[in-house]
């Protein structure tokens, strides 16, 4: 069977930990319990945290700070939003893969820093295709796939619904701020889970992306997001560049 690589194009301080606190009325036990919840989201928590528990977490429902985003939480939000969609379709949930996440990380950051958008990285021939990137990070799958997205970070979808105003920041450098045309107030950013769902919604509106999301051939999945390092320097709304990789028939 010939390996399948699906190539498509698209237009367009989390705090948590798992711990056990024994029943103890002392303030010391309470203090230790509170400290447990100061551990950032990490790879090991994908297997421990259910979809339902993730959606309830306080940090997941906070607005994104564009200048100081939690990239691990953003990646998790896209992953769990994808599984939320699959659950609603009565499909098996994807398993998380660090190998796929590393491949995603590299591609999202390269696209953001090098100013391109696409599945083929012409500036890095060793990581030119999704399959090459996944193989180079240790992923061994018989079939692989990739979804890409440029997702608006603010709560707006139509360019006609906002306007940009140019000003200067405290250092005197020019910056743009973005405002809602109707209420004349600065646009709020999406929450982490809203960003994840917004990205997945874009993919479901595209038949090719949708095929990846609904595939029964893929068992593993991971995502990554990169933001511009200077998001307010341009008049256009800043975008989050999202890469999602899939793997099926994992080889030992």
């Amino acid at each position: 069977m010939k390996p399948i690589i699906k190539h498509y194009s698209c237009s367009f301080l989390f705090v948590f930990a798992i711990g056990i606190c024994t029943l103890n009325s002392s303030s010391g036990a309470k203090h230790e319990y509170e400290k447990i919840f100061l551990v950032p989201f990490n790879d090991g928590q994908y297997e421990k945290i259910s979809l339902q528990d993730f959606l309830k977490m306080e940090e997941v429902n906070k607005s994104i700070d564009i200048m100081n985003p939690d990239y691990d939480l953003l990646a998790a939000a896209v992953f769990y939003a994808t599984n939320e969609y699959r659950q609603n379709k009565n499909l098996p949930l994807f398993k998380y893969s660090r190998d796929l996440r590393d491949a995603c990380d590299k591609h999202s950051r390269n696209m953001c820093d090098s100013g391109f958008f696409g599945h083929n990285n012409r500036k890095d021939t060793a990581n030119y295709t999704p399959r090459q990137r996944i193989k180079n990070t240790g992923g061994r799958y018989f079939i692989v796939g990739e979804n890409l997205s440029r997702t608006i970070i603010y709560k707006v979808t139509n360019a006609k619904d906002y306007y940009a105003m140019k000003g200067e920041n405290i250092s005197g450098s020019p910056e743009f701020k973005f405002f809602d045309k109707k209420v004349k107030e600065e646009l709020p950013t999406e929450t982490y889970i809203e960003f994840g769902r917004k990205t997945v919604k874009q993919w479901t509106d595209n038949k090719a992306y949708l095929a990846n999301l609904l595939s029964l051939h893929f068992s593993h999945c991971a995502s990554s997001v990169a933001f511009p390092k200077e998001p307010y320097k341009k008049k256009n709304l800043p975008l989050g560049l999202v890469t999602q990789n899939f793997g099926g028939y994992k080889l030992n």
Side-chain angles (χ1 to χ4, degrees):
M1 178 177 178
K2 185 179 179 180
I4 300 172
I5 301 180
K6 301 188 178 183
H7 285 186
Y8 309 123
S9 60
C10 177
S11 62
F12 188 79
L13 175 167
F14 175 62
V15 178
F16 177 82
I18 294 175
I20 299 175
C21 182
T22 58
L23 294 176
N24 190 319
S25 60
S26 68
S27 60
K30 182 179 179 181
H31 179 65
E32 289 301 315
Y33 180 79
E34 290 176 344
K35 287 201 299 182
I36 287 173
F37 282 82
L38 296 178
V39 179
F41 197 92
N42 57 58
D43 289 344
Q45 293 174 7
Y46 279 92
E47 293 184 359
K48 300 175 182 178
I49 301 174
S50 69
L51 170 60
Q52 290 71 27
D53 288 339
F54 182 83
L55 298 178
K56 295 176 183 177
M57 293 178 183
E58 181 180 354
E59 296 297 328
V60 173
N61 294 283
K62 286 186 177 180
S63 297
I64 300 168
D65 179 355
I66 300 180
M67 295 302 297
N68 187 32
D70 186 332
Y71 286 113
D72 289 327
L73 185 57
L74 280 166
V78 177
F79 174 85
Y80 279 98
T82 298
N83 270 343
E84 181 183 38
Y85 181 79
R86 283 179 68 88
Q87 179 175 271
N88 291 337
K89 297 293 182 180
N90 296 315
L91 296 172
L93 302 187
F94 287 127
K95 298 177 182 178
Y96 171 77
S97 166
R98 179 67 207 193
D99 298 331
L100 295 178
R101 169 67 193 281
D102 288 345
C104 290
D105 266 343
K106 186 176 185 67
H107 195 56
S108 289
R109 194 71 259 168
N110 282 344
M111 286 194 298
C112 202
D113 293 344
S114 300
F116 77 95
F117 182 74
H119 295 278
N120 296 332
N121 186 347
R122 300 181 185 278
K123 298 184 179 182
D124 184 358
T125 56
N127 292 285
Y128 183 69
T129 67
R131 179 170 288 280
Q132 286 175 296
R133 292 190 289 273
I134 293 170
K135 182 180 179 181
N136 290 342
T137 56
R140 301 184 70 241
Y141 299 91
F142 190 64
I143 59 173
V144 299
E146 182 172 88
N147 285 352
L148 299 179
S149 174
R150 292 182 289 193
T151 304
I152 297 175
I153 306 168
Y154 286 93
K155 292 182 184 292
V156 65
T157 56
N158 194 327
K160 295 180 180 180
D161 295 335
Y162 83 94
Y163 63 94
M165 289 186 64
K166 189 175 183 180
E168 291 184 352
N169 61 22
I170 194 170
S171 65
S173 301
E175 283 189 348
F176 285 94
K177 292 291 184 182
F178 308 101
F179 295 84
D180 188 299
K181 283 186 176 180
K182 295 180 180 179
V183 299
K184 309 299 181 184
E185 294 180 355
E186 189 170 354
L187 287 173
T189 59
E190 303 281 11
T191 66
Y192 283 85
I193 192 57
E194 285 172 343
F195 181 90
R197 287 169 172 161
K198 192 176 189 178
T199 300
V200 172
K201 177 60 169 64
Q202 289 182 187
W203 288 333
T204 62
D205 290 338
N206 181 296
K207 289 183 179 180
Y209 288 129
L210 184 58
N212 278 348
L213 294 177
L214 298 177
S215 175
L216 292 175
H217 298 293
F218 296 130
S219 57
H220 290 72
C221 174
S223 307
S224 184
V225 185
F227 286 175
K229 292 181 178 179
E230 297 180 291
Y232 301 117
K233 289 200 70 173
K234 297 181 179 180
K235 188 175 182 180
N236 296 328
L237 284 172
L239 303 172
L241 296 189
V242 186
T243 304
Q244 184 174 65
N245 283 157
F246 304 89
Y249 305 104
K250 190 172 185 180
L251 305 175
N252 294 325

